[in-house]
């Protein structure tokens, strides 16, 4: 066994002896890899759906904002508004 800097750095003891894996161990490793792949695919699908939802909501908010600005810009009811004439009331002295 060699005690390299990598082994000492992490405090791991690595056994250099190699042995053949049993069929059950290989099957278990395949099962874990398959479950991990399914988990990753589920997270990627969820992330994609979250991005689509964010874009839809952001687009809706932006659309409502722009429509509001456009409709307020078109309103001209205050332009035609004539200020009432002020009537001067004589003093009662």
């Amino acid at each position: 066994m060699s005690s390299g800097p990598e082994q000492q750095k992490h405090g791991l003891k690595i056994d250099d002896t190699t042995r053949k894996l049993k069929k059950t161990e290989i099957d278990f490793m395949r099962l874990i890899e398959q479950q991990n792949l399914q988990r990753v695919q589920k997270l990627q699908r969820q992330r994609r759906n979250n991005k689509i939802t964010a874009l839809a909501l952001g687009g809706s908010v932006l659309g409502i904002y722009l429509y509001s600005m456009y409709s307020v810009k078109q309103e001209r009811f205050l332009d035609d508004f004539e200020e009432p004439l002020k009537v001067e009331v004589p003093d009662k002295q």
Side-chain angles (χ1 to χ4, degrees):
M1 276 199 275
S2 65
S3 178
E6 187 69 27
Q7 292 174 353
Q8 292 175 355
K9 180 179 176 183
H10 296 293
L12 300 175
K13 181 177 179 182
I14 299 174
D15 188 14
D16 288 339
T17 60
T18 57
R19 65 176 179 88
K20 289 212 171 218
L21 296 175
K22 296 178 185 174
K23 184 178 181 331
T24 56
E25 292 172 334
I26 294 172
D27 290 342
F28 182 70
M29 286 178 12
R30 282 192 187 130
L31 177 67
I32 296 300
E33 286 176 356
Q34 183 181 14
Q35 289 175 351
N36 191 31
L37 181 63
Q38 289 173 353
R39 182 183 59 87
V40 168
Q41 288 173 346
K42 180 182 175 186
L43 289 173
Q44 287 175 342
R45 189 170 45 251
Q46 191 175 21
R47 187 175 297 131
R48 185 187 71 233
N49 289 342
N50 287 344
K51 287 179 183 178
I52 291 171
T53 303
L55 286 174
L57 289 174
S60 299
V61 168
L62 185 63
I64 291 169
Y65 176 76
L66 292 175
Y67 174 75
S68 299
M69 290 296 123
Y70 178 72
S71 63
V72 167
K73 183 179 166 184
Q74 284 185 343
E75 291 181 5
R76 302 202 186 282
F77 69 93
L78 289 177
D79 294 342
D80 298 335
F81 182 72
E82 293 180 15
E83 199 170 318
L85 298 173
K86 294 184 179 180
V87 178
E88 294 185 23
V89 179
D91 291 334
K92 296 181 182 180
Q93 295 180 355

